[in-house]
Amino acid sequence: MELLANANQLTPEFDLGRVQTWIFDVDNTLYPAECDLFSQIHIRMAEFVAKTLSLNLEAAKLVRREYFTKYGTTMRGLMEEHGVDPNDYMAYVHDVDYSPIKRDDALRQLIEGLPGRKLIFTNASLEHGQKCARQLGVEDLFDGWFDIRDAAYEPKPDMAAYHKFAARFEVEPQRAIFFEDTLKNLKPAKQLGWQTAYIDPSVETTATGPLPTFVQAGYVDAHGAGLHAFFQAHWRT
C-alpha cells in the first residue's frame, strides 16, 4: 500500500508510513456500526441486570447506563457492586445473532496487506471478538488477541489495560496505531505515544468529509467513518 496525503488528518504526528503494529477494537470498529449488533447486546445486558438484581426492564436499563458510565463497562459495575461472575455475564449478553455481520473480502484484503502485526484490543470477550472476526472472514489474520479477561477486567479507558496490552505484545509506541470507535478510549493510547484513529460509529460508512468539531481532540490523529473509509482516505493499494 502507498501512503496518501489527506486533509482529514488532525495532527502533525499522523504518519502511517512508520506503523508496524496495527491495533483494532472489535465492536463498531472491526465490523461496521450499521450491523447494529449492539441493539441485541444492549437488550441482553438489560435482561441480565433485571434478572440479577430483580428489577423491571426500565430500571435495569438505567442501572446498565450508570455502571457503564461509572466503571467503563456494565460488567465491571456488576462485579464490583454485586459480585457477579463475569463469565456468566458475558455468556448471556453475547448470546446473540451474529448474522448481521457479513463476510467482507475487501476488508480481508486490506488487513492482510498491512505491514507488520495486526492485534485485537477489546473490552469484550475473546469468544465474542472471534465470532465477529469469523463472520467478517478475517479471524486468521490477527497475530494476537487481548480481551477483558487479559485486562484483569479493567476495561478501556483504564490505563492499566493499556499497560497490560503493551507489555504483552511489547508494543513500540511510535510504530503503533489504535483504531477505536469510543472516543474516550483513544486518550490513553495517545498518552502512551500510539497514533490514534477514530472510527466514527455515528455516520454511515460511506460518509466523507472532516471530523465533526466536537471530536477534534488533541488525542485523535485521524478519523474515518469505518475502516474502509479510513484506508481509502489514507492508503492506496
Side-chain angles (χ1 to χ4, degrees):
M1 291 185 174
E2 177 186 350
L3 182 65
L4 300 175
N6 189 275
N8 287 342
Q9 70 186 58
L10 300 178
T11 67
E13 293 85 0
F14 179 62
D15 178 10
L16 292 182
R18 57 186 165 88
V19 174
Q20 286 294 315
T21 301
W22 308 79
I23 306 165
F24 298 89
D25 178 48
V26 174
D27 291 306
N28 296 335
T29 300
L30 190 62
Y31 69 82
E34 62 199 40
C35 293
D36 199 24
L37 201 64
F38 254 82
S39 64
Q40 297 183 62
I41 293 173
H42 284 158
I43 291 170
R44 300 289 289 176
M45 286 179 177
E47 289 175 351
F48 186 93
V49 172
K51 292 176 181 178
T52 301
L53 304 185
S54 300
L55 300 173
N56 64 46
L57 203 56
E58 291 307 310
K61 290 177 182 177
L62 294 176
V63 170
R64 177 186 67 77
R65 295 190 192 103
E66 176 189 344
Y67 287 175
F68 177 80
T69 301
K70 183 176 180 181
Y71 294 100
T73 64
T74 301
M75 182 178 73
R76 184 72 180 183
L78 290 169
M79 291 170 64
E80 292 289 335
E81 301 207 9
H82 306 283
V84 165
D85 184 329
N87 293 303
D88 291 343
Y89 174 85
M90 289 188 289
Y92 188 90
V93 303
H94 292 145
D95 185 13
V96 297
D97 175 15
Y98 286 86
S99 65
I101 302 177
K102 304 302 182 184
R103 183 175 179 86
D104 190 337
D105 290 327
L107 180 65
R108 180 179 177 84
Q109 182 179 12
L110 186 161
I111 293 174
E112 200 168 22
L114 296 174
R117 297 182 298 171
K118 300 92 175 181
L119 305 173
I120 294 290
F121 185 12
T122 177
N123 275 348
S125 67
L126 174 65
E127 296 86 350
H128 171 71
Q130 290 181 332
K131 286 178 182 177
C132 294
R134 194 174 305 133
Q135 286 290 115
L136 288 164
V138 299
E139 181 185 9
D140 61 307
L141 300 183
F142 295 99
D143 301 290
W145 298 73
F146 191 94
D147 75 345
I148 193 65
R149 295 187 188 98
D150 296 310
Y153 302 104
E154 298 174 301
K156 300 175 289 185
D158 192 315
M159 182 60 88
Y162 297 76
H163 284 307
K164 288 183 174 73
F165 179 93
R168 165 79 65 85
F169 297 110
E170 299 180 342
V171 176
E172 187 178 351
Q174 298 305 317
R175 296 174 70 84
I177 188 168
F178 182 34
F179 297 86
E180 167 71 66
D181 70 291
T182 301
L183 193 63
K184 65 181 180 180
N185 292 348
L186 292 172
K187 189 172 184 178
K190 188 63 176 177
Q191 290 171 339
L192 287 178
W194 305 355
Q195 293 186 70
T196 57
Y198 177 60
I199 303 303
D200 190 350
S202 66
V203 296
E204 294 183 1
T205 54
T206 54
T208 58
L211 191 68
T213 302
F214 75 93
V215 293
Q216 290 185 7
Y219 52 86
V220 176
D221 291 313
H223 81 287
L227 290 178
H228 286 290
F230 177 89
F231 283 103
Q232 184 177 17
H234 299 293
W235 286 83
R236 178 184 294 122
T237 55

